[in-house]
Amino acid sequence: MADETNRAGAAEARVPTVIADDVHIVYRVNGGSGGKGSATAALNRILRRDKGNRGMREVHAVRGVSFVAYRGEAIGLIGTNGSGKSTLLRAIAGLLPCERGRVYTDGQPSLLGVNAALMGDLTGERNVILGGLAMGMSREEVKARYQDIVDFSGINEKGDFITLPMRTYSSGMGARLRFAIAAAKQHDVLMIDEALATGDRKFQIRSEQRIRELRKEAGTVFLVSHSNKSIRDTCDRVLWLEKGELLMDGPTDEVLKAYEKETGK
C-alpha cells in the first residue's frame, strides 16, 4: 500500500510542461547564386512572382524531435553550431511554426536570448520597466523588484550605468541586464539561449543560482550553452541535437560524456 502511494505521489509530481511531438522545422530561403548582380536577380524573381518557387531552398533545421519536459526540470540543449538548438527553442516559444508535428505547452513559455530586443536609445532604467511590463508584470511588481534587478545585473558596480542609454553598454552588460529582467519573474517555462556565456564568473554563479531557484518555484528551464561546465552546474537532464536530430536524451553526466567523447569538446 505504501509503495502504491509513493508511486502515485511521484506520478502526480511529474507534471508535463512541454511536449514536443515529432517536430519538424523547415526554413525556406532564396538560394540564388551570390556575387555581382545577385540582388538584381533576386528582385527580378520577386517581380516575376515566380509561381514555381525556382531558386527557393529549403533548410530542414529540426527533424522529428520528440520529448516531454516536466515541471521542476532544468534541461540543457547541446550540439555543434547549426544543430538546431536555438531553432527548437523558438518553436517551443511559439515564434516558429512547425512544418510537421506539434509543440504543446502548459503555461506561457518565455525565451531569453542574448539578442533579446530592448531599446538602445532608452536608459537601462526605462528598459527594466518596459521589459518587466512586457513579461506581464504589473507596474507595482516592477517597482518592487526594480532594485533587485539592477543589483543582480551588476550594471551599477562600476558607475551609474542604469541611467545611461543601453546603446552605450557593452554586449556583456546588455546581456546581463536582459537576464536579470527575465529572471525577476516566475516563469512556467523559461528558455535561456547562451545568456550564461556572458559576464564574469561571479555573474555566472549568480545566474546558475537563480536558475535553481526558478526550478524550485515549479518552473521548467531550458538552457542552450556551449559551456559544458554551465550545463553541468545547472541542468539535471540534457538533449543532444545534431543536424536537427535528437541523438540523445538523458541525465547530464551521461549525455555530456558521450558528447565529449564524440566531439572532443
Side-chain angles (χ1 to χ4, degrees), residues 102-189:
R102 293 286 299 275
V103 175
Y104 305 91
T105 60
D106 178 22
Q108 178 61 47
S110 303
L111 175 61
L112 169 67
V114 294
N115 294 320
L118 295 181
M119 302 185 71
D121 287 335
L122 297 183
T123 64
E125 181 179 18
R126 291 297 299 168
N127 273 296
V128 168
I129 296 170
L130 292 176
L133 293 174
M135 289 195 306
M137 297 166 63
S138 67
R139 289 187 177 274
E140 290 73 21
E141 287 175 316
V142 175
K143 183 178 180 180
R145 300 177 190 179
Y146 172 81
Q147 194 58 50
D148 287 339
I149 292 171
V150 175
D151 292 343
F152 186 96
S153 71
I155 292 297
N156 275 3
E157 288 180 354
K158 297 183 179 180
D160 192 21
F161 285 98
I162 199 67
T163 62
L164 297 178
M166 273 199 67
R167 56 181 164 75
T168 65
Y169 292 7
S170 67
S171 59
M173 290 170 64
R176 294 200 306 274
L177 185 59
R178 292 181 184 97
F179 182 88
I181 294 169
K185 181 179 182 291
Q186 180 177 330
H187 298 268
D188 299 313
V189 179

Side-chain angles (χ1 to χ4, degrees), residues 216-231:
K216 292 177 182 177
E217 292 165 2
T220 302
V221 177
F222 289 87
L223 171 64
V224 170
S225 178
H226 288 291
S227 168
N228 290 354
K229 187 178 189 311
S230 289
I231 296 287

